[in-house]
Amino acid sequence: MKHQIVHTLQKYVLNPPIKLALAIRLPLPGYALLETKGRKTGKLRRTPVGDGRIGNQFWLVAEHGMKAGYVRNIERDPHVRLMLREGLSCSCWQPPLLSLRIRLPTHDPVLPTSG
């Protein structure tokens, strides 16, 4: 239920203005635009993500783990492009990165206590 609510809010309320701002090259601190190829349709998909650039690596933290469509798209075809913020402007689309890392949330199992 929580996933459905958050997904709906992000898809229809939060992401569209961020995606539009990045598409017209407004530099939004903390955001990047990720472009993947749809795993079923083959169409290009653009998703706003947190700017996780560290050196020549880009880290994505997938809030919904493997349920996130962009994670499944990357799993099917790891060739992606990013539009990153460069100072006070957005740069052009970056070529495929040398290294893309995805961190999925981990849920530590609750260990039973003895005693």
Side-chain angles (χ1 to χ4, degrees):
M1 178 69 166
K2 175 187 167 195
H3 170 72
Q4 290 174 338
I5 293 169
V6 170
H7 173 74
T8 302
L9 278 173
Q10 286 175 335
K11 185 173 182 178
Y12 297 107
V13 178
L14 302 173
N15 285 354
I18 294 170
K19 195 184 295 188
L20 175 65
L22 292 170
I24 61 174
R25 299 184 187 275
L26 286 177
L28 295 178
Y31 285 98
L33 196 58
L34 172 71
E35 183 179 76
T36 61
K37 187 189 290 185
R39 64 194 172 283
K40 294 179 183 177
T41 65
K43 292 181 181 180
L44 294 180
R45 304 291 182 193
R46 292 181 177 173
T47 306
V49 294
D51 187 350
R53 180 178 25 181
I54 300 175
N56 68 343
Q57 294 183 343
F58 191 88
W59 286 79
L60 289 174
V61 177
E63 178 182 1
H64 299 294
M66 290 305 293
K67 290 183 183 179
Y70 69 86
V71 173
R72 290 180 286 169
N73 290 345
I74 293 170
E75 183 180 44
R76 175 75 51 93
D77 183 359
H79 298 92
V80 301
R81 293 192 314 164
L82 286 161
M83 183 178 287
L84 302 170
R85 180 172 177 255
E86 296 290 338
L88 297 176
S89 65
C90 285
S91 68
C92 296
W93 286 102
Q94 300 296 311
L97 297 170
L98 297 176
S99 180
L100 177 72
R101 306 262 189 236
I102 299 175
R103 167 167 273 169
L104 301 174
T106 58
H107 299 286
D108 295 329
V110 177
L111 299 174
T113 58
S114 58

